[in-house]
């Protein structure tokens, strides 16, 4: 499946949901804000929000450095 | 110094003009943290003609700072000069008539409130706990503040305006403690410069009252992988947020809402207790700090870092041996464990 992630086309192999995608990207343990096709998906819905070919996904994770 | 000439190019810029430049020269901005982000932000503001700058930092200059903390020199590192003091000296070399107040110490609620009144607070910190304290102080005093953070080649920023969208607590709902900091996974200077550039630009818009030009999104980038993202987060505003909701309690300003550091009698060690809502994963921390791990079991993790021994317990507590005091212990905890 091909999605646009943070503005870049990416092939996603193993992810069926937003939660899977965060795992695949190795950022599941971080605080994140996720948007799918222009709508924010809150954390409680990450496991049931399915992904589809052509999705536009934005993910921002928080860090503490500076 | 001829201020007409000095700021002429900035005044020529359509977004600022004569009135905008006057507003900048009347503004008081507090920059909390004088590391990579804070020192760069301070320099840009002073060069831009900011009326008054207050700079708060608890740390001193080390050799490993020089790759990206561009106000500092080898002489500062050799002399262990406090960052705020080294910054002030260099900033006055850049603009001799600048008004610069410094505080060498931890930014706690009382210290920050003593710096008021101010027009804006800008985040140059290295930890989330103090950021939530800034969040609550700014909201309590109805001040805008600008979050910025970076690690590796990645950075993000968000402008918090009281009464205009969610605050940082609404967005984060708790504190990430995954241990990924500049001291564990590194940082490159361009990532810092990107974040500081966005923070200062947002600051200029706020201070010159160009409110319609504010970005209005949570924004991130990775200069190495070339990813960038911008999300409208208004829907994440929490009606009952204890910081920006209808009846705010400002939890980060209460003593119970702060991490604790206490010297353990006769042991040359300090115990640091994180905030109650922080979750620490021993496994994750061990993973990030592979090269420092000297012991690990299901209850605790022992790390040898910078000639110090840090014993991290499952409940998030750490006993740190070999530190000079509570400030150093808390700083080490936030740099290596998180918070």
């Amino acid at each position: 499946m091909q999605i646009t992630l943070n503005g870049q086309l990416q092939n996603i192999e193993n992810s069926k949901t937003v939660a899977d995608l965060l795992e695949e990207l190795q950022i599941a343990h971080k605080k994140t804000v996720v948007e799918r096709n222009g709508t924010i998906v809150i954390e409680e819905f990450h496991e049931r929000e399915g992904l589809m070919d052509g999705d536009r996904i934005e993910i921002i994770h928080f860090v503490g450095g500076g | 110094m001829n201020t007409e000439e000095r700021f002429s190019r900035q005044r020529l810029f359509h977004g600022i003009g004569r009135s905008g430049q006057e507003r900048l020269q009347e503004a008081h901005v507090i920059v909390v943290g004088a590391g990579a982000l804070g020192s760069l932000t301070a320099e840009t503001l002073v060069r831009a003609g900011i009326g008054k700058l207050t700079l708060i930092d608890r740390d001193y200059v080390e050799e490993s700072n020089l790759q990206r903390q561009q106000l500092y020199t080898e002489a500062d590192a050799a002399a262990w000069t406090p960052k705020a003091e080294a910054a002030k000296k260099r900033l006055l070399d850049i603009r001799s008539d600048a008004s610069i107040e410094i505080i060498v110490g931890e930014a706690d609620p009382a210290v920050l409130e003593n710096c008021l009144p101010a027009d804006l607070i800008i985040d140059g910190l290295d930890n989330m706990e103090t950021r939530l304290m800034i969040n609550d102080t700014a909201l309590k005093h109805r001040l805008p503040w600008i979050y910025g953070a970076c690690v590796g080649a990645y950075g993000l920023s968000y402008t918090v305006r009281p009464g205009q969208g969610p605050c940082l607590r609404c967005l984060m709902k708790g504190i990430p403690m995954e241990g990924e900091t500049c001291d564990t996974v590194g940082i490159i200077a361009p990532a810092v410069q990107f974040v500081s550039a966005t923070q200062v630009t947002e600051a200029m818009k706020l201070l010159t009252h160009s409110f319609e030009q504010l970005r209005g999104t949570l924004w991130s980038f990775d200069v190495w992988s070339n990813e960038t993202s911008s999300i409208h987060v208004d829907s994440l505003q929490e009606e009952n947020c204890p910081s920006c909701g209808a009846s705010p309690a400002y939890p980060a300003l209460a003593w119970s809402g702060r991490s604790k550091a206490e010297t353990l009698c006769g042991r040359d060690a300090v115990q640091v207790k994180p905030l109650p809502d922080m979750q620490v994963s021993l496994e994750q921390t061990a993973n990030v700090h592979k090269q420092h791990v000297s012991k690990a079991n299901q209850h605790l993790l022992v790390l040898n870092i910078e000639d110090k021994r840090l014993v991290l317990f499952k409940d998030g507590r750490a006993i740190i041996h070999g530190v000079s005091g509570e400030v150093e212990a808390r700083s080490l905890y936030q740099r290596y464990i998180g918070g």
Side-chain angles (χ1 to χ4, degrees):
Chain A
M1 165 165 59
Q2 198 173 54
I3 62 169
T4 304
L5 177 63
N6 292 352
Q8 300 214 319
L9 278 178
Q10 287 211 13
N11 284 312
I12 297 298
E13 301 302 330
N14 307 314
S15 298
K16 292 193 170 61
T17 65
V18 166
D20 296 341
L21 180 62
L22 294 173
E23 282 288 347
E24 190 170 339
L25 298 171
Q26 298 183 336
I27 52 174
H29 59 289
K30 298 180 180 178
K31 296 280 175 191
T32 51
V33 174
V34 180
E35 191 184 73
R36 175 170 174 251
N37 299 329
T39 305
I40 287 182
V41 182
I42 60 170
E43 203 176 331
E44 288 83 338
F45 295 154
H46 285 182
E47 293 208 354
R48 66 179 101 145
E49 182 81 8
L51 297 177
M52 286 171 64
D53 196 50
D55 273 354
R56 281 177 298 109
I57 307 288
E58 301 286 325
I59 301 175
I60 294 181
H61 67 271
F62 288 92
V63 297
Chain B
M1 186 60 67
N2 178 350
T3 58
E4 195 66 19
E5 183 61 23
R6 175 154 198 154
F7 305 115
S8 59
R9 302 305 187 271
Q10 195 163 281
R11 230 177 12 243
L12 269 175
F13 172 63
H14 68 86
I16 292 186
R18 185 165 294 278
S19 64
Q21 185 61 36
E22 279 169 10
R23 285 190 165 124
L24 290 177
Q25 286 172 237
E26 285 161 6
H28 175 206
V29 176
I30 302 171
V31 176
V32 190
L37 271 181
S39 60
L40 179 55
T41 295
E43 178 180 340
T44 317
L45 289 174
V46 165
R47 285 187 189 274
I50 205 76
K52 181 182 170 187
L53 174 80
T54 300
L55 189 58
I56 308 173
D57 195 279
R58 66 183 173 190
D59 203 3
Y60 57 88
V61 181
E62 292 176 276
E63 207 173 7
S64 66
N65 302 148
L66 301 180
Q67 154 257 1
R68 67 195 182 286
Q69 303 190 14
Q70 60 189 51
L71 280 180
Y72 310 128
T73 64
E74 290 175 2
D76 295 324
W80 296 42
T81 312
K83 286 183 181 175
E85 200 176 299
K88 181 175 180 177
K89 182 172 172 295
R90 173 76 178 131
L91 291 170
L92 289 174
D93 286 345
I94 291 167
R95 197 180 123 214
S96 56
D97 66 352
S99 167
I100 297 164
E101 293 282 333
I102 58 166
I103 292 161
V104 178
E106 286 208 303
D108 66 25
V111 165
L112 202 54
E113 288 196 339
N114 267 335
C115 300
L116 301 177
D119 298 286
L120 172 67
I121 303 174
I122 303 184
D123 162 16
L125 287 156
D126 61 359
N127 69 86
M128 282 300 182
E129 180 185 349
T130 316
R131 285 189 174 101
L132 285 178
M133 191 276 290
I134 292 183
N135 186 65
D136 286 7
T137 303
L139 289 163
K140 182 181 168 192
H141 293 276
R142 311 295 294 169
L143 285 176
W145 78 277
I146 305 172
Y147 162 66
C150 46
V151 64
Y154 176 84
L156 74 166
S157 178
Y158 179 69
T159 303
V160 178
R161 295 173 74 200
Q164 314 262 344
C167 72
L168 191 66
R169 191 183 295 278
C170 297
L171 299 187
M172 291 203 322
K173 299 185 187 73
I175 294 186
M177 292 284 285
E178 84 288 349
E180 228 171 56
T181 71
C182 301
D183 296 278
T184 58
V185 298
I187 174 95
I188 55 172
V192 177
Q193 291 154 0
F194 239 69
V195 174
S196 177
T198 39
Q199 286 180 293
V200 175
T201 312
E202 288 281 283
M204 285 176 159
K205 293 171 187 173
L206 283 166
L207 296 173
T208 60
H209 298 187
S210 307
F211 303 116
E212 67 287 359
Q213 305 297 334
L214 287 163
R215 196 184 54 242
T217 61
L218 174 66
W219 174 86
S220 77
F221 67 88
D222 185 307
V223 282
W224 206 259
S225 68
N226 310 304
E227 287 178 39
T228 177
S229 183
S230 186
I231 301 181
H232 285 277
V233 289
D234 285 359
S235 65
L236 292 176
Q237 184 158 16
E238 294 278 342
E239 211 173 306
N240 298 318
C241 173
S243 297
C244 71
S247 350
Y250 309 116
L253 304 186
W255 179 244
S256 58
R258 301 200 61 212
S259 67
K260 308 283 190 296
E262 52 186 330
T263 305
L264 299 179
C265 209
R267 290 182 60 187
D268 181 30
V270 175
Q271 172 172 276
V272 178
K273 269 186 182 166
L275 291 177
D277 57 352
M278 283 186 187
Q279 290 156 355
V280 173
S281 155
L282 291 183
E283 197 185 344
Q284 180 68 29
T285 309
N287 211 15
V288 174
H289 294 292
K290 277 188 198 94
Q291 73 278 26
H292 298 304
V293 174
S294 80
K295 266 198 190 72
N297 62 37
Q298 55 172 323
H299 302 290
L300 57 82
L301 179 68
V302 183
L303 304 172
N304 288 326
I305 296 172
E306 299 178 12
D307 304 330
K308 282 119 192 154
R309 196 170 68 206
L310 193 153
V311 184
L312 179 68
F313 295 85
K314 214 162 80 178
D315 62 3
R317 258 179 331 111
I319 293 177
I320 307 178
H321 300 264
V323 286
S324 61
E326 292 165 17
V327 172
E328 190 187 359
R330 202 202 294 259
S331 168
L332 204 75
Y333 187 99
Q334 288 170 339
R335 280 159 53 208
Y336 285 94
I337 310 302

